[in-house]
Amino acid sequence: MKEMEGERSSEMDCTVIESPTESLDGSVIFHAINEISGFVLYMHQQIPSMLQDISFEYDTLCTDYKDLEMGRVEIQEKASLRRKHGSKMREVKQGIRRLEKLMRAVSDFQNAVKLVINEVPNIQGVILVLGASPLRPQHVYDLCFSHGKLPGGAQDFTKSRAAEVLSRKAIRALISKGAGSGSYPGASKLFLLVKAPSSFNLPLHFLPKREFRYSKKIVPLRVQFKCRTQVGLEMDAADLASQTGSSISLVQSTQNEFIWFQCRHVIKGLAFNTETEE
């Protein structure tokens, strides 16, 4: 009885984001994970601005440094210009060093997500854990994907309109549930765990965590992404269950074959002073 009540409570706490498309393709899944990851880092004060803004800043610094290197040869004759130019190069290089470790970690993180989507297009769930370790989290974000009719062939990670809309809806829903309200300064780590078939094998990027459980003291924020096909199938299943008196779940029928895999790539937050950033 208590288990059933817990399941009902879990379902009530889950925010459902519905897509008008027939399926959740690689673009939707990748950008949902990517956008929510950046949102989690920013809202919990792990990065000073949104991830796309930091990426733009980093790319700009790298471009500026290359331009300064090219221009260094042209000003060798004048000592005053040479000193000014050297000071500017040091300033830009310092900015690059401040961000390059974060950007390298983000790139590895994103590439790992793309790899798992290509390997397992019907990913059942993803957990984002912010904390010292996955077993000792400060915050947990639980993302579930109900795919419907899966597209065949190679996955396209171009940011589609559907991916952009669903990501925005999910972030607005998380904000309405108070995401980031319990934040505090101090660097932490963002971990990624993916629910995939036990036969899934990418040892350079993912490690199996069959018995993974995080602390029961942590209440996760849950978001379920559903496509139009899946919503219809679940309604048909509910009708059939009411007629036969049995409980039918299209998703749960395959979940027993899935276990958790932890991504080796971790994003560590930047140590920065929020007062000075503001």
Side-chain angles (χ1 to χ4, degrees):
M1 184 67 180
K2 288 183 178 180
E3 290 181 0
M4 292 177 65
E5 290 176 355
E7 290 177 1
R8 292 196 196 99
S9 176
S10 176
E11 291 176 0
M12 290 175 63
D13 292 340
C14 179
T15 299
V16 177
I17 306 295
E18 294 184 4
S19 168
T21 58
E22 294 292 335
S23 64
L24 299 180
D25 59 15
S27 170
V28 170
I29 298 169
F30 170 73
H31 288 289
I33 296 171
N34 188 49
E35 295 292 331
I36 293 174
S37 298
F39 165 80
V40 170
L41 289 168
Y42 176 65
M43 290 300 289
H44 292 289
Q45 302 177 16
Q46 298 304 304
I47 51 178
S49 58
M50 295 300 289
L51 195 54
Q52 56 266 39
D53 294 334
I54 294 178
S55 298
F56 178 77
E57 179 186 355
Y58 180 74
D59 291 341
T60 301
L61 286 170
C62 290
T63 300
D64 290 347
Y65 191 78
K66 288 179 181 179
D67 292 343
L68 288 167
E69 278 191 319
M70 292 177 63
R72 182 166 53 183
V73 179
E74 302 174 3
I75 60 171
Q76 290 299 319
E77 297 179 359
K78 295 184 179 180
S80 59
L81 290 177
R82 191 165 62 246
R83 286 194 297 270
K84 185 176 181 181
H85 193 82
S87 175
K88 180 63 176 178
M89 286 190 70
R90 286 191 297 272
E91 179 185 342
V92 173
K93 193 170 185 178
Q94 185 179 6
I96 292 173
R97 286 177 175 173
R98 179 174 62 89
L99 297 176
E100 64 181 350
K101 189 173 182 180
L102 171 67
M103 298 314 302
R104 192 182 304 117
V106 169
S107 178
D108 290 341
F109 188 92
Q110 292 173 341
N111 288 334
V113 174
K114 290 179 180 180
L115 282 171
V116 74
I117 290 173
N118 277 324
E119 185 74 15
V120 189
N122 59 333
I123 292 174
Q124 299 296 299
V126 168
I127 289 180
L128 297 170
V129 176
L130 189 69
S133 77
L135 299 179
R136 292 181 292 139
Q138 298 166 3
H139 306 279
V140 174
Y141 293 81
D142 191 346
L143 314 179
C144 179
F145 300 94
S146 301
H147 301 271
K149 296 179 181 179
L150 294 172
Q155 299 293 313
D156 180 8
F157 297 108
T158 303
K159 193 170 187 178
S160 64
R161 176 62 178 169
E164 184 177 355
V165 170
L166 260 67
S167 296
R168 287 179 179 176
K169 284 183 179 179
I171 288 174
R172 285 198 296 265
L174 289 171
I175 291 174
S176 69
K177 284 183 168 288
S181 58
S183 300
Y184 55 88
S188 190
K189 297 177 182 178
L190 183 67
F191 300 88
L192 170 73
L193 291 102
V194 176
K195 183 172 278 190
S198 56
S199 58
F200 173 63
N201 186 26
L202 279 177
L204 294 179
H205 301 279
F206 290 88
L207 293 174
K209 298 290 181 180
R210 187 178 294 271
E211 303 299 327
F212 171 70
R213 296 286 188 280
Y214 53 82
S215 172
K216 293 181 180 180
K217 296 179 181 179
I218 300 297
V219 178
L221 289 177
R222 293 189 171 93
V223 177
Q224 183 174 18
F225 295 87
K226 290 184 178 181
C227 60
R228 183 171 55 192
T229 303
Q230 188 66 22
V231 173
L233 289 173
E234 289 180 355
M235 290 175 65
D236 292 341
D239 291 340
L240 181 59
S242 64
Q243 293 173 12
T244 62
S246 61
S247 177
I248 298 174
S249 173
L250 299 176
V251 176
Q252 290 178 356
S253 63
T254 58
Q255 276 189 338
N256 292 334
E257 303 171 5
F258 285 69
I259 65 171
W260 289 106
F261 290 83
Q262 181 180 333
C263 183
R264 288 177 176 269
H265 304 293
V266 176
I267 301 177
K268 185 176 181 181
L270 296 174
F272 67 96
N273 190 322
T274 55
E275 294 182 359
T276 58
E277 292 292 336
E278 293 174 357

